[in-house]
Amino acid sequence: MQSRWGSLRAKVFPDHWSLLFGQIAFYSFVVLVLSGVVLTLQYEPSTAPVVYDGPYGPLRGTEMSRALDSTLAITFETRGGLLVRQIHHWATLIMVAAITLHLLRLFFSGSYRRPRRLNWLVVFSLLIVTLGAALTGTSLPDDMASGTSLAVLDGVLQATPVIGSALSYLLFGGEFPGNVLTWFYPLHIVVLPLLIVALFVAVAVLALKHSPKRAKRKSPVAAVKSAGLFCFVAGVSVLMAATATINPVWLYGPADPADTSAGVGPAWYLAFLDGSLRLAPGWEVVWWGKTISLAVLLPVAACTLFLVIVAVYPFLEERLIGVPKDQSERPRDNPTRTGIGVAGITFYGVLWAAAGADTMALQFHLSVNTLLRVFQVLLIVGPPAALWITRRICLGLRQQDKDVAEHGIETGRIVRLPSGGYVEDHRPSTRQLTAR
Ligand code: HEM
């Protein structure tokens, strides 16, 4: 029998909750466009210096760019300006989280396989383009936090052998910090959003192509439900923006390439890149008379390889394991794939946690060097251990399913046999065995 909570949940969210992440991502994008248009009315993408003369006392008299000056004006001088900025930022976080969860659902249910391999690639590209939009967006206020992340980006580019300096010159439109805002701005408000729209259209077209005929007939009820979800996503963004401060640029002050403030780190979705830089050993090699630092090259290569493997996983799996039957599976039905997924999450998670090593060391009175050493070991040992443990758990669950299918479900009712022995009564199970 369905529990009370189960039937209430089915009424409020009639579709399985895990199927809603794609829609949540789309609706947070709509919120981003709406709030972004409002921000463009006042924001000025200029690095021309001005002296701050606004109502925020601690910064009065400080030299800063027009970009930060206009961001502070939106924050302190425009009614509802801070709310709109925070809605824009919170919606970014919701969108990145929703696309990531959508990808995880596709992975663990095996829904990336033929004929849906292209869909996987499109959703993955959507995540990367959204990260690009988030990165260019957080650079726009030109505050200390955005300046620091751009300085790290410049450092990484400069450490790339042969083409590093040229790449940095190209990105920053000259020597760092260059005039990055002038071309990040159109990229942020036009190019990347248009690309995101194109990718959403591609996802919808592919979904329509692969869904059964029955599901294609959308009823007006589905449209109302979908509109309700939009209101829910917009409502949560506004609630978060109204109650929780995010990106308080007035506390960070203006960007300065020669300066950085403690405790300023990258946004959570880019933290794994920062973590990888922290965990890399400071090795150096000399090639053709040139000293090359592996401290940057190694983590950049590892993260790139990780992302490439995620992108091409459906093709890789098909090549290594063969063409699977197209049917959605529960994670336990494919223990190896589920194990690989959890190993990937562990790899990402360790890099992510390592980005906060200094804060953890400070809070728990630990040595930051010891912590980084522990994370280095975890990065190597963690993923294979996670793969093994997850496989064992899946195999155990499959065995349990098999027992239930063969012997039925335990009822807890003990009956006495004519021979005098006692056995537990089992009720027949209607569950199908899908395990391969
Ligand atoms: C997926 C799409 C988008 C993402 C992920 C995104 C993300 C961001 C983020 C994280 C910021 C920094 C906010 C802050 O100051 O705390 C930002 C700033 C900004 N965004 Fe977007 N944005 C997107 C689309 C748009 C669009 C479509 C527009 C305009 C039509 C826009 C206009 C702006 C403007 C003007 C700013 C600077 C103002 C400010 O920082 O207060 N954004 N964006």
Side-chain angles (χ1 to χ4, degrees):
M1 211 184 70
Q2 208 176 18
S3 70
R4 228 163 168 206
W5 160 245
S7 67
L8 180 68
R9 195 202 60 76
K11 275 188 195 132
V12 180
F13 301 108
D15 305 305
H16 193 269
W17 56 268
S18 68
L19 298 173
L20 298 181
F21 293 133
Q23 287 188 56
I24 292 176
F26 177 71
Y27 289 136
S28 40
F29 175 65
V30 175
V31 173
L32 276 165
V33 173
L34 295 177
S35 52
V37 169
V38 177
L39 290 175
T40 46
L41 300 178
Q42 206 174 344
Y43 172 77
E44 288 179 56
S46 159
T47 44
V50 288
V51 175
Y52 182 68
D53 187 26
Y56 184 62
L59 284 181
R60 212 170 291 140
T62 309
E63 192 173 294
M64 58 180 65
S65 63
R66 285 198 98 82
L68 183 57
D69 187 56
S70 63
T71 309
L72 291 173
I74 297 174
T75 307
F76 295 117
E77 293 167 58
T78 309
R79 195 163 288 185
L82 177 59
L83 183 72
V84 177
R85 269 195 61 224
Q86 301 209 136
I87 289 175
H88 199 70
H89 209 121
W90 276 112
T92 302
L93 303 194
I94 296 176
M95 183 169 173
V96 175
I99 302 176
T100 309
L101 290 171
H102 184 62
L103 270 175
L104 287 175
R105 183 191 67 78
L106 291 181
F107 184 87
F108 285 110
S109 63
S111 312
Y112 56 80
R113 295 169 300 161
R114 232 178 245 266
R116 298 193 181 89
R117 293 184 306 174
L118 192 58
N119 181 47
W120 171 267
L121 268 183
V122 174
V123 179
F124 180 79
S125 314
L126 187 61
L127 178 65
I128 299 297
V129 178
T130 305
L131 290 181
L135 182 75
T136 49
T138 33
S139 306
L140 294 184
D142 200 29
D143 60 306
M144 177 74 84
S146 61
T148 305
S149 41
L150 289 181
V152 172
L153 188 63
D154 177 57
V156 169
L157 291 178
Q158 296 278 8
T160 313
V162 190
I163 51 167
S165 310
L167 276 181
S168 162
Y169 203 84
L170 210 68
L171 180 73
F172 294 104
E175 205 166 302
F176 179 78
N179 202 6
V180 75
L181 288 190
T182 44
W183 81 274
F184 261 27
Y185 188 58
L187 204 65
H188 182 77
I189 68 164
V190 182
V191 181
L192 295 174
L194 283 181
L195 212 57
I196 290 174
V197 169
L199 290 168
F200 271 124
V201 170
V203 171
V205 169
L206 289 171
L208 217 59
K209 199 169 143 203
H210 296 135
S211 56
K213 275 206 184 91
R214 196 165 26 89
K216 282 182 189 165
R217 269 186 264 122
K218 289 273 180 212
S219 67
V221 178
V224 174
K225 277 196 271 179
S226 199
L229 188 64
F230 169 68
C231 295
F232 184 73
V233 172
V236 169
S237 310
V238 175
L239 188 72
M240 296 298 290
T243 54
T245 302
I246 192 153
N247 201 15
V249 286
W250 58 93
L251 295 182
Y252 306 146
D256 181 349
D259 213 349
T260 181
S261 59
V264 170
W268 63 265
Y269 42 81
L270 295 175
F272 77 106
L273 299 173
D274 188 17
S276 70
L277 288 172
R278 290 172 190 230
L279 291 190
W283 296 333
E284 282 181 353
V285 287
V286 181
W287 278 335
W288 299 294
K290 282 196 188 303
T291 307
I292 293 169
S293 163
L294 297 184
V296 175
L297 208 56
L298 210 64
V300 170
C303 289
T304 311
L305 185 69
F306 175 69
L307 292 175
V308 169
I309 291 177
V310 174
V312 301
Y313 187 82
F315 304 89
L316 215 61
E317 184 186 86
E318 207 173 288
R319 190 151 265 255
L320 298 178
I321 304 173
V323 183
K325 286 180 264 148
D326 177 52
Q327 58 171 38
S328 278
E329 296 171 318
R330 287 181 306 166
R332 71 182 67 172
D333 297 331
N334 198 327
T336 305
R337 186 193 53 221
T338 305
I340 291 174
V342 178
I345 293 174
T346 309
F347 179 78
Y348 177 93
V350 173
L351 292 182
W352 188 79
D358 51 344
T359 311
M360 282 182 222
L362 207 66
Q363 293 293 329
F364 299 111
H365 308 289
L366 298 167
S367 143
V368 72
N369 288 335
T370 313
L371 255 182
L372 287 176
R373 186 70 65 212
V374 170
F375 281 127
Q376 282 174 333
V377 173
L378 276 179
L379 190 68
I380 295 166
V381 180
L387 174 80
W388 186 79
I389 295 170
T390 309
R391 266 201 94 227
R392 300 310 311 166
I393 294 174
C394 289
L395 289 171
L397 289 170
R398 258 171 63 165
Q399 186 58 42
Q400 199 184 29
D401 281 354
K402 205 161 154 245
D403 289 347
V404 168
E406 281 171 6
H407 308 294
I409 299 164
E410 291 174 358
T411 58
R413 205 166 67 91
I414 308 294
V415 291
R416 190 169 181 198
L417 299 174
S419 57
Y422 292 91
V423 288
E424 186 180 357
D425 206 9
H426 283 75
R427 147 169 78 79
S429 159
T430 48
R431 208 189 289 167
Q432 294 274 316
L433 256 191
T434 53
R436 282 191 285 138

